[in-house]
């Protein structure tokens, strides 16, 4: 008997009877020829913001890094284990993606934790606390903006963190060089779970603008 | 003009005209009530192994961490930034997921890099090299198994790395305690990109067995 | 009273009342004209992997050599008694078979013995130990792959031994010459006792691929 | 594309659509619990004398060694590679079979070669010549029995060789000890390809008697 949660077994059977037969040739080609995605997405682990769903993406289309809060730490070639930097290096240097999109989303639990820095750690290791401290200076400033509502502070920090991650992307030499040559472009996006709206970052101003569906 | 790659704009329009209207109530509920996924998936960034596709999962169903090679490093409460540990802590302590599935896949580029440890680093930071060195002892052993074909070595290390990550999950006190109490279960799975087959780890032996579709 | 085990007497009566009458003409022709099988199979003695069952083969179809582990030793014209080489010579030079298939199988006791080389010999002659030492170098390498499960090591060595036997077939001048002329082709196959699956060796890579039944 | 002769592909498909479904439970059990055949058969490679067909045997029933002429060489613990002795040791010591049947057959090409010892070797290695020389003293005597017809000489040597192999079985200490204890019994049989008749050796006289079908 296979040990998998029942909902995954059911889901996989749906996949094999539905989507897979329709895309089996594509999977087979991708297996033989390797992946060649044009775009890397840095997204959050949140169960409500799957990039493949939001961008209706098929196999081979998106190289997806997901961590809590869709954060990219700054470049730090210190010999430590950096899962985010490793994924970035692989996408840019090996797969030669043309786009990197940092996609945040509303009601992000990681951002909420960053805004509530005085709460007790989730466990003695306090890994979330440490991880979200990457945006601690911004989180502290936003937390003290008491004229904003809790929701406004949350949305503000979600967007700040996207700009922060994009700025950190540019601390990686390979990213900044390729961006300078016009061979790589960086994007920001924010997904509103409640309405399905996608807000896209204006590259000039850093503002987020709702995508018109025309 | 929004700055997003054209294929993402197209995909998002498909989402808004197709999947979203059918699931808008679910998104709205998930926004209001928060996520409560039963299952965390640790998967690879690879564009051909999206957990939501393979498990036909809708919004709110899967909390998904994705890094290169679907690796979980061992517990190390050292104050460093650990994106994987942070996601794990959040899933277990805050979301109280009931299952964690480590899902690897065939033809994994990260595993290939680990098997080819003598190749030049992708960039001066050598982040992939460092990240994949988590499984260096196994990679060295498998690399020296020259009686096996390149594909056999690759598959062997892909499965070893899943067992390794599951073993590391158990080094986290919160995981081992909850597993001991029967409130959290750990699973391994391996996806064959070429055929769509899912192989599930036998908990007793560590072997991977193909899921019967019957 | 004939001295035969009861189950063989029963089986033989079934043969004479069932299969034989249906194929008596074929047996008669084969007796008169001699055998002219197109294919030689090198298989294991294992009671669960009879080539005639797996290939639904009738009388006259398969010339079958069976030894423990389906091994072909390398060419050694040293004047010793070589049952395997004798069968090979007879099949190729006298019967002029067009194909030789080396067929291994899962859960092979001979392969298990090779992986467990430190166990006590079965008898003072240690014939199994000596026979399986033909693949000792590979067995030692695989045995030391402790990151693999016992089943993974077993399957790996089963497949290695098939490739080894095929390589040894080519050390026989008559085989390599005829193969070079396109008059003899060599194949590898691996039978999964548990599922009935047949995995066929890819001649280019040496990998084993499951036969699609489609 | 799998590289297997077409007739094997067809045969395997017949097996999977016919016999396997009817016996899948038995295969599965045999895989899980291991083989435990009661009987070892030493038979010839000849394509017309498959033991599983003649004894209507299912998976798990017969442990089958097949070489040219169904010969068992005498016990020789000399450290050389002895495939026949290895199979015998495995059957008796590890599987603990209760019966060993040496089954010869009519029109055996190996026996014909032994009777025709002055013919040119099949190849420079002369493996068949060397292998069949195991019964050279009997072959020379029979060859010189010019009052017998060629067919009579052939049948005579086929039966002599069965008795010879049974005698050699008893040179293996493990065989003679177990036979003495009544835990192993040895049998001889000869299959007439043309008529389907099975002749069984009388243990007391060594004569072969046709099995009555009652």
């Amino acid at each position: 008997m296979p040990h998998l949660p029942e909902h995954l077994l059911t889901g996989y059977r749906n996949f094999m009877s539905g989507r897979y037969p329709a895309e089996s040739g594509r999977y087979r080609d991708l297996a033989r020829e390797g992946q060649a995605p044009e775009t890397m997405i840095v997204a959050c682990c949140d169960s409500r913001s799957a990039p493949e769903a939001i961008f209706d993406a098929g196999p081979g289309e998106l190289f997806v890094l997901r961590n809590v809060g869709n954060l990219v730490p700054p470049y730090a070639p210190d010999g430590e284990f950096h899962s985010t930097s490793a994924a970035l290096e692989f996408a840019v240097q090996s797969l030669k993606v043309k786009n990197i999109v940092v996609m945040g989303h509303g009601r992000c639990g990681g951002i909420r934790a960053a805004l509530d820095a005085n709460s007790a750690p989730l466990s003695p290791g306090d890994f979330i606390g440490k991880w979200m401290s990457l945006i601690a200076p911004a989180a502290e400033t936003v937390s003290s903006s008491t004229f904003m509502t809790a929701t406004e502070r949350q949305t503000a920090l979600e967007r700040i963190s996207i700009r922060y991650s994009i700025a950190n992307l540019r601390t990686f030499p390979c990213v900044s060089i390729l961006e300078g040559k016009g061979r790589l472009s960086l994007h920001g996006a924010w997904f509103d779970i409640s309405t399905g709206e996608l807000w896209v970052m204006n590259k000039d101003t850093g503002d987020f603008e709702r995508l018109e569906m025309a």
Side-chain angles (χ1 to χ4, degrees), chain A:
Chain A
M1 274 294 296
H3 294 275
L4 263 196
E6 192 56 39
H7 73 111
L8 295 187
L9 290 173
T10 304
Y12 176 65
R13 290 200 180 99
N14 290 344
F15 169 69
M16 282 310 276
S17 63
R19 184 167 190 163
Y20 181 75
E23 287 182 330
S24 61
R26 193 166 170 186
Y27 275 105
R28 222 168 286 262
D29 291 350
L30 284 165
R32 195 178 53 244
E33 295 161 19
Q35 65 175 332
E38 281 191 17
T39 299
M40 176 187 190
I41 308 266
V42 181
C44 183
C45 298
D46 193 291
S47 64
R48 303 163 296 180
S49 68
E52 286 88 355
I54 295 167
F55 294 115
D56 189 41
E61 200 170 338
L62 303 177
F63 184 81
V64 179
L65 173 75
R66 291 177 73 174
N67 59 37
V68 174
N70 40 270
L71 297 181
V72 178
Y75 181 67
D78 54 11
E80 294 296 319
F81 304 117
H82 295 294
S83 74
T84 308
S85 304
L88 181 64
E89 183 184 85
F90 192 79
V92 172
Q93 300 289 79
S94 176
L95 299 176
K96 304 191 189 309
V97 297
K98 294 178 184 166
N99 313 289
I100 303 177
V101 180
V102 178
M103 181 176 81
H105 66 96
R107 297 156 203 259
C108 177
I111 296 292
R112 188 174 306 123
L115 283 169
D116 194 15
N118 294 325
S119 61
L122 285 174
S123 75
D126 192 23
F127 294 107
I128 275 288
K130 186 63 190 166
W131 176 245
M132 295 311 298
S133 75
L134 281 166
I135 55 168
E140 280 162 26
T141 302
V142 173
S143 291
S144 66
S145 296
T146 51
F147 293 104
M148 294 167 78
T149 68
T151 299
E152 284 169 347
R153 286 195 293 272
Q154 169 92 14
T155 303
L157 189 56
E158 285 164 1
R159 295 178 175 184
I160 288 169
S161 81
I162 295 169
R163 288 191 293 264
Y164 165 84
S165 288
I166 291 175
N168 281 343
L169 283 174
R170 294 196 172 105
T171 64
F172 286 77
C174 63
V175 171
S176 63
I177 290 168
L178 288 169
E179 194 190 21
K181 290 180 175 171
R183 282 157 52 188
L184 178 65
S185 60
L186 309 184
H187 308 267
W190 179 90
F191 179 68
D192 185 329
I193 289 169
S194 181
T195 61
E197 290 172 1
L198 193 70
W199 294 64
V200 178
M201 197 185 78
N202 181 307
K203 291 192 179 187
D204 300 324
T205 65
D207 289 320
F208 282 77
E209 301 164 2
R210 195 174 72 247
L211 208 57
E212 298 294 340
M213 290 306 296

